[in-house]
Amino acid sequence: MSQLAPAYDLAYNGWSQAQRDEALETMTYAAGYYATVTHPNIDNAADKASNWVAVIRGTELLTHLAARGDGAYGLRDDRVAFGLTEVRRHLDEAFSDSGWNQEGWDYLNYTVGALAPVVRAAHNAGITDLDASWQRPRMAELALHTFAVRTTKDRLQFGVGERTGGISPALLGTGAADTQAAYLWLYERTNGATGGVAALANWPEGVTPTDPDSQPQLRQALLDDEAGAYHFRDRYQGDDDTLLSVSNRNENHAGWSQAESFAMSLIGQGTTWARQPAKENTN
């Protein structure tokens, strides 16, 4: 549904009636499943931080926003209101102000890949319930402090994130204007011309890629006392850049977790000198 719902909405006028009917039938079937699915990671009324909330509840909401009012699908106002509450709570509970998430970059990228289309679809429908919660975490700025300028996609670690991986196209065009320009610069030098439909949908029109070193505020340490996570880098030039992250894990939510007290991740001079275990000793 994460692919079909936006395709149905964006390509609606270009599809035949038979194609639209088939897609709507599939989304109607999925909507019934979403209304009955159960799992501890989404059923916990006290904690909505797990990536499951974003992926399942967010995709359900996206499906309703794309299909509501078409054919016999109905408006499903109750499920739309439910989905908005679930997604907003996830954003509020899973992310600190710095963008830190206890599950780490792999799941953070997975999560925002599901959430960005939902936030955009809601906003385009005149629903602003998610805007403030989406804009609050400085996720793109966190990426700028933790991803090395290498095509090997090395990065500082926290949570259960692995030591390498690309930055998300879903974060293109997010953050302050200087952050958007710097993020686009880093994206082009690490991910390159990749990202598929997500990159096309989120590409920031009118934004000029700008070397982050021309913006001294982006070299200042990103200090997060709420999460107990502190990130430093000296510059944005290449293999000789030094990046350092230390973590204390002040919070613990539902979802993937890792013991991180006094954890350190260090990259410099073309080498990863210290790393964290990712999923190697978690259960």
Side-chain angles (χ1 to χ4, degrees):
M1 290 306 103
S2 63
Q3 305 299 311
L4 178 60
Y8 173 82
D9 184 55
L10 294 172
Y12 187 90
N13 291 331
W15 284 1
S16 67
Q17 188 60 50
Q19 290 172 319
R20 292 194 291 265
D21 290 345
E22 182 179 359
L24 189 61
E25 180 181 5
T26 302
M27 289 189 286
T28 302
Y29 176 84
Y33 168 77
Y34 283 128
T36 58
V37 66
T38 181
H39 189 279
N41 283 8
I42 57 175
D43 295 337
N44 186 346
D47 192 334
K48 297 296 181 181
S50 170
N51 74 84
W52 281 61
V53 176
V55 174
I56 294 177
R57 300 306 189 199
T59 304
E60 178 190 0
L61 177 57
L62 182 63
T63 302
H64 296 325
L65 291 173
R68 67 195 305 260
D70 290 351
Y73 192 88
L75 295 178
R76 302 182 189 254
D77 288 339
D78 57 334
R79 296 303 296 181
V80 170
F82 172 75
L84 288 168
T85 299
E86 292 281 291
V87 171
R88 179 186 52 76
R89 282 195 58 191
H90 173 75
L91 285 164
D92 292 344
E93 296 173 23
F95 298 92
S96 69
D97 287 349
S98 75
W100 177 92
N101 176 299
Q102 79 168 33
E103 300 192 62
W105 269 118
D106 295 306
Y107 286 100
L108 195 158
N109 284 345
Y110 183 43
T111 296
V112 299
L115 291 180
V118 179
V119 175
R120 184 169 56 249
H123 190 86
N124 289 343
I127 302 170
T128 59
D129 299 47
L130 304 177
D131 289 1
S133 295
W134 172 252
Q135 294 162 6
R136 175 189 58 82
R138 295 152 63 189
M139 289 180 272
E141 192 171 336
L142 178 63
L144 287 166
H145 281 79
T146 55
F147 280 80
V149 186
R150 298 181 187 171
T151 56
T152 50
K153 302 177 181 178
D154 298 78
R155 61 192 180 189
L156 298 174
Q157 291 174 272
F158 56 92
V160 293
E162 298 292 342
R163 59 171 294 202
T164 61
I167 62 176
S168 175
L171 294 178
L172 288 164
T174 65
D178 56 353
T179 300
Q180 292 183 33
Y183 190 87
L184 181 57
W185 183 94
L186 182 63
Y187 187 94
E188 291 181 337
R189 283 157 180 77
T190 53
N191 285 24
T194 62
V197 174
L200 289 174
N202 294 289
W203 201 265
E205 295 184 20
V207 175
T208 301
T210 304
D211 185 342
D213 278 335
S214 68
Q215 304 178 59
Q217 72 277 13
L218 294 178
R219 292 203 308 273
Q220 295 177 359
L222 187 59
L223 309 177
D224 187 340
D225 291 333
E226 177 187 353
Y230 307 93
H231 312 286
F232 311 84
R233 76 179 301 156
D234 65 338
R235 63 178 193 172
Y236 298 82
Q237 292 302 311
D239 281 351
D240 288 337
D241 298 353
T242 299
L243 293 81
L244 171 67
S245 175
V246 291
S247 302
N248 195 54
R249 177 57 69 81
N250 291 346
E251 296 186 345
N252 192 43
H253 293 288
W256 281 105
S257 185
Q258 179 64 277
E260 290 184 276
S261 293
F262 309 114
M264 181 176 71
S265 187
L266 175 62
I267 295 173
Q269 297 179 323
T271 302
T272 296
W273 296 98
R275 55 160 296 188
Q276 295 182 32
K279 288 184 180 177
E280 292 175 12
N281 66 348
T282 193
N283 55 25

